[in-house]
Each structure stands twice: as C-alpha cells, then as structure tokens.
Amino acid sequence: MTTRILLALTIVGTMMIGVVACSSATHSNAPAPTALPSPTLSPIQAPRVGEVAPDFALDTLDGSRKVHLSDFRGKAVLLIFWASTCSACVKELPVIQKFSVQQKMAGKQIVVLAVDIDRVGDFVNVTTLQGRLGLTYPILVDDHFQARSSYQITNVPVAYFIDSQHVIHSMISEPLNDASLHSGAESVKGK
C-alpha cells in the first residue's frame, strides 16, 4: 500500500512539474522565436554575384542618421564589412579612403559604405580610428546584426561591388588593394 501511494505521488508530482513548466513557457515574457528554418528548408545563404544586394537600415557611427542601402539606388556602391579588431581591415581603410577620394575627383558615382561589426563598447575606438585615418566615407554600425545576418558575414574583411540597380557584380573576401578596388569599380561602371 505504501508503495502504491509513493508511486501515485511520484506520478502526480511529475505531472505537476510538467504542467507548471509548460504553463510558464507559454506565458513567458521572452519573445517567441520567429522565422526559424524548417529542417527541410535550407538556411539563409549569403547573397551571390548576379543577385540583388539585400537592403538594410543602419545608423551612422555618430548616430546622426539612419542609412539604407536603397538610398543609393542609381549609384554604384562599394559595401565593405570590417572591424577595428581586424588588422587587415584597418590596413585597408586608408587604401579605400584614397580610392573614394579619387572616384569623387574623377566625377564617378561610386559610393563607399563601411559597415563596422565591432561590439558597441568598441565604437569609441572606431571613432578614434576614423579621425586618425581621416576617413570621410560613412561608417555604419551593425549593432543589431541586421546586415551581418543578411549578408552572412562570418569573417572580415569582405567587400561587395554593387551596380546602380543594386545587383552584386563581385565579392572579395580578402583585404582590398588598388588593383582590386579599380577592377571592382570597373565591373560596376555604367551599369
């Protein structure tokens, strides 16, 4: 008889724990997961050459405005992903600055957008770096992982050359140099 009572209490206790756990899970303040891929669907892939570049809306480093990639429809774009903790990225920044100035002086319509993927706590370092190197192109912060996720960025530096219709013409996943910058710019010229 005691064994039966203990067994019944164990079963009832287990059921109560299950009910409480399910109840707290359904009434939790945590947001419900959204858009989880089904096991039969493939995960999001990085955009490829020939595809339209995903749009995004990111704040400038100083927080003064929100920039959308779509703001530059009609112009070619050099979109770079970088981090201040990446030495190869930091080395390419002055090369990109020189290229940006040359393009403007030549009257070419290529826009440079630099998406910084540093942590929020590193933004002071990024601002200091921007001033020290005299970078004049917009530095955008991806502190909510929006662009990083859309472009599936796992390593930096990564650069996309995007034409005026926002079709990707090339993607470079190594530090940019004069030759790769001019070659990429030629690929989107007049498109």
Side-chain angles (χ1 to χ4, degrees):
M1 180 82 165
T2 325
T3 307
R4 284 182 149 175
I5 293 174
L6 286 175
L7 182 58
L9 287 174
T10 303
I11 292 171
V12 169
T14 304
M15 288 174 45
M16 291 297 288
I17 290 171
V19 167
V20 169
C22 288
S23 173
S24 65
T26 57
H27 298 298
S28 169
N29 289 333
T34 57
L36 292 176
S38 142
T40 59
L41 298 176
S42 63
I44 296 172
Q45 293 186 8
R48 293 179 249 182
V49 171
E51 295 179 349
V52 174
D55 196 14
F56 54 74
L58 301 175
D59 290 321
T60 55
L61 181 60
D62 65 4
S64 64
R65 65 186 171 117
K66 191 165 287 288
V67 173
H68 300 255
L69 179 60
S70 58
D71 293 342
F72 302 99
R73 187 157 301 276
K75 295 182 180 180
V77 175
L78 166 57
L79 176 64
I80 61 171
F81 290 88
W82 70 286
S84 66
T85 54
C86 163
S87 61
C89 298
V90 173
K91 284 181 184 176
E92 78 176 358
L93 294 176
V95 176
I96 296 167
Q97 174 63 29
K98 179 182 165 190
F99 168 77
S100 176
V101 169
Q102 288 172 342
Q103 294 296 301
K104 284 180 184 173
M105 288 177 60
K108 299 194 176 162
Q109 294 291 322
I110 190 160
V111 175
V112 177
L113 299 175
V115 178
D116 175 47
I117 64 167
D118 283 298
R119 296 182 318 240
V120 173
D122 292 331
F123 289 167
V124 170
N125 296 337
V126 175
T127 302
T128 302
L129 185 64
Q130 180 185 32
R132 184 169 52 89
L133 297 177
L135 305 178
T136 58
Y137 48 83
I139 295 180
L140 310 176
V141 294
D142 193 15
D143 53 346
H144 296 293
F145 310 105
Q146 180 194 6
R148 194 176 339 182
S149 176
S150 295
Y151 286 81
Q152 293 295 294
I153 301 299
T154 56
N155 292 310
V156 291
V158 174
Y160 287 89
F161 284 91
I162 303 166
D163 73 14
S164 61
Q165 298 304 307
H166 285 202
V167 174
I168 298 168
H169 279 260
S170 63
M171 191 272 292
I172 301 171
S173 57
E174 60 187 26
L176 296 169
N177 57 40
D178 287 331
S180 61
L181 283 165
H182 290 287
S183 172
E186 283 299 313
S187 75
V188 295
K189 183 180 174 183
K191 307 241 177 177

